[in-house]
Amino acid sequence: MSELRYPNESKEYRNARDSLLKEEQELVDKVKSVAERRRSLPPGGQLKEDYVFEWANDGKVGKSVRFSELFGDKNTLLLYSWMYGPNWDHPCPSCTSLMDGFDRTWYSVSKDAAFVAIAKASADQINAWAKHRGWSKISLVSGYDSPFQADYKCQGESDDMQWPVMHVFRRRGEKIFHFWATEVLANHVDTVWPYWNLMDFTPEGRPDIPTPPQNFRSEFLERNYLNKE
């Protein structure tokens, strides 16, 4: 790749590109290094309780499922808590953008780890939105009657003040332990967000907007989050 040249490119371009390439490689190496450190974390706290949720996938909406059952035959569970409260008009556009990607990634991820998304909205609300967006793969649950989101820092002072968090849990024998979570809200799962990362490749870069463009608005989000001073 050191001899790579594209048609009609200038020497100035190639020199600048090679310089940038070094920084890109350093970034890749840093991501791998952080991932290695993450894998070597000691066990986190044991799961507070075997929470009971409700399935929100078509065909089993409202049926109870325990936290421990979400693992299936896997020992690792990725659980993404997305922003959709019981009294929201529409869910968070950013979380919806992520979920669009997660739904299609689920097939590959689920070969090695369980992958579930949870929201505080009711199972019926989640299912209706999933149908609207065409989500058909990822497992969906509602934490409407569960204290999970409050216990694991996915919400503020009420059920409607939700925060986006990716949690990872590990099962060891009969016990379940918290392994890791995103604890930085800004671009909290940026490395797996297709929209922002693809826009980073463009000359224009990411649009200077708080959420990815969507064909809907979340008035609750705008009123209670984006317009707060």
Side-chain angles (χ1 to χ4, degrees), residues 99-160:
M99 288 288 293
D100 287 343
F102 289 162
D103 183 64
R104 296 308 171 191
T105 307
W106 178 91
Y107 178 81
S108 298
V109 174
S110 62
K111 302 291 184 182
D112 301 297
F115 190 11
V116 180
I118 184 172
K120 197 67 179 179
S122 71
D124 286 329
Q125 287 174 291
I126 296 170
N127 179 252
W129 191 250
K131 287 182 176 180
H132 175 72
R133 298 299 293 192
W135 303 338
S136 60
K137 301 298 182 183
I138 193 167
S139 298
L140 301 168
V141 297
S142 167
Y144 183 81
D145 288 321
S146 170
F148 171 79
Q149 273 106 331
D151 289 347
Y152 281 86
K153 317 305 179 187
C154 302
Q155 70 179 48
E157 65 273 14
S158 74
D159 287 352
D160 279 314

Side-chain angles (χ1 to χ4, degrees), residues 38 41-49 51 67 71 75-81 148 151-154 165-172 175-183:
R38 184 183 298 120
L41 285 170
Q46 188 172 344
L47 185 68
K48 186 176 179 181
E49 63 180 87
Y51 299 95
F67 191 105
F71 284 82
N75 289 318
T76 298
L77 167 68
L78 293 101
L79 184 62
Y80 180 63
S81 185
F148 171 79
D151 289 347
Y152 281 86
K153 317 305 179 187
C154 302
V165 183
M166 177 70 83
H167 282 288
V168 182
F169 292 85
R170 183 72 171 166
R171 182 167 58 186
R172 295 188 173 189
K175 297 181 179 180
I176 297 172
F177 297 89
H178 188 248
F179 172 73
W180 176 86
T182 48
E183 297 184 15

